[in-house]
Amino acid sequence: GQNIDQPTEMTATEGAIVQINCTYQTSGFNGLFWYQQHAGEAPTFLSYNVLDGLEEKGRFSSFLSRSKGYSYLLLKELQMKDSASYLCAYTSGTYKYIFGTGTRLKVLA
Amino acid sequence: GAVVSQHPSRVICKSGTSVKIECRSLDFQATTMFWYRQFPKQSLMLMATSNEGSKATYEQGVEKDKFLINHASLTLSTLTVTSAHPEDSSFYICSARGASSPSGGNTIYFGEGSWLTVV
């Protein structure tokens, strides 16, 4: 396979915080990306990590540990509109993006 | 606003016919474009990578004679599904990257996607 894994589904409550994990294995690494995809629509870019650490962008933050092949997307103050699939993807040298299967997040009122 | 435009958003065609989907980068030169296919509730499956002026590189299992990809200019790539069959019905998405894009080349931008239904 493509050696990138993330949970299939998650459920959280409006206003809460949720963390979506992603693990990957690759011999070359050029960056880790998170995309949001609503049903029937194309993915939209959320974040990009190439160095270890946390990148914060409003309610969304993304973390990367290259040595562990691990990333997470943190969503704070969840809103109903955050119900979507969240895709992590890595690139390795040639800008070929390898996507995980996506995590379907359901936000409950 | 959108940086990659894809057209048509929805198309229905008869079995055995061909259909063309266009992907355009807006306001930047897309040196590389990618074509993906996505079935409901599944992830994006990379079909091929095309560099401007070169032949597309197809992923294993993707028939190059069935899915014709042309990337003749720095702003346009086309995917033609030839002799379409009902099993080709899917969501097709393009993406593009280039040094002159808003991200400076590190990020790919997706088109809006095209729903193909073959009847």
Side-chain angles (χ1 to χ4, degrees):
Chain A
Q2 300 285 8
N3 298 323
I4 181 165
D5 291 306
Q6 52 182 130
T8 305
E9 290 186 352
M10 297 183 72
T11 303
T13 306
E14 195 175 16
I17 298 173
V18 70
Q19 178 175 312
I20 303 174
N21 296 323
C22 174
T23 57
Y24 64 90
Q25 287 182 309
T26 179
S27 56
F29 178 79
N30 223 23
L32 192 289
F33 299 79
W34 284 94
Y35 286 83
Q36 180 191 60
Q37 185 179 27
H38 285 99
E41 299 179 11
T44 54
F45 171 77
L46 289 179
S47 68
Y48 165 60
N49 294 67
V50 64
L51 300 176
D52 291 351
L54 189 68
E55 294 278 343
E56 296 186 75
K57 196 184 289 186
R59 293 190 299 116
F60 294 3
S61 303
S62 57
F63 171 83
L64 175 67
S65 168
R66 290 172 295 171
S67 62
K68 295 181 180 178
Y70 168 68
S71 173
Y72 67 72
L73 178 70
L74 193 71
L75 294 80
K76 303 176 186 175
E77 301 170 17
L78 278 175
Q79 302 175 8
M80 300 298 289
K81 66 178 182 180
D82 296 329
S83 293
S85 285
Y86 291 86
L87 311 173
C88 67
Y90 69 80
T91 63
S92 54
T94 59
Y95 291 101
K96 187 171 164 176
Y97 284 60
I98 305 302
F99 281 87
T101 53
T103 299
R104 287 192 297 277
L105 173 66
K106 188 181 294 185
V107 180
L108 304 176
Chain B
V3 294
V4 176
S5 176
Q6 192 171 337
H7 177 81
S9 57
R10 289 182 182 275
V11 59
I12 300 172
C13 71
K14 290 186 177 179
S15 188
T17 63
S18 296
V19 62
K20 180 186 286 187
I21 301 170
E22 293 187 348
C23 180
R24 293 181 184 274
S25 59
L26 309 175
D27 301 324
F28 77 95
Q29 295 180 328
T31 48
T32 308
M33 284 187 167
F34 306 86
W35 285 96
Y36 294 85
R37 183 175 181 176
Q38 187 177 36
F39 292 106
K41 296 189 177 182
Q42 295 187 23
S43 187
L44 298 168
M45 185 195 81
L46 179 64
M47 299 175 68
T49 303
S50 72
N51 293 299
E52 185 268 337
S54 305
K55 288 185 179 180
T57 302
Y58 288 80
E59 295 299 301
Q60 194 171 11
V62 178
E63 299 175 60
K64 59 182 67 176
D65 293 330
K66 179 168 184 62
F67 298 99
L68 301 179
I69 291 171
N70 184 286
H71 190 170
S73 78
L74 282 170
T75 59
L76 174 65
S77 177
T78 60
L79 166 68
T80 302
V81 182
T82 63
S83 187
H85 291 285
E87 56 263 33
D88 297 326
S89 299
S90 187
F91 189 46
Y92 292 88
I93 312 175
C94 72
S95 66
R97 64 164 295 277
S100 60
S101 70
S103 71
N106 292 324
T107 303
I108 57 171
Y109 295 91
F110 285 90
E112 300 93 336
S114 300
W115 283 101
L116 170 63
T117 302
V118 184
V119 298

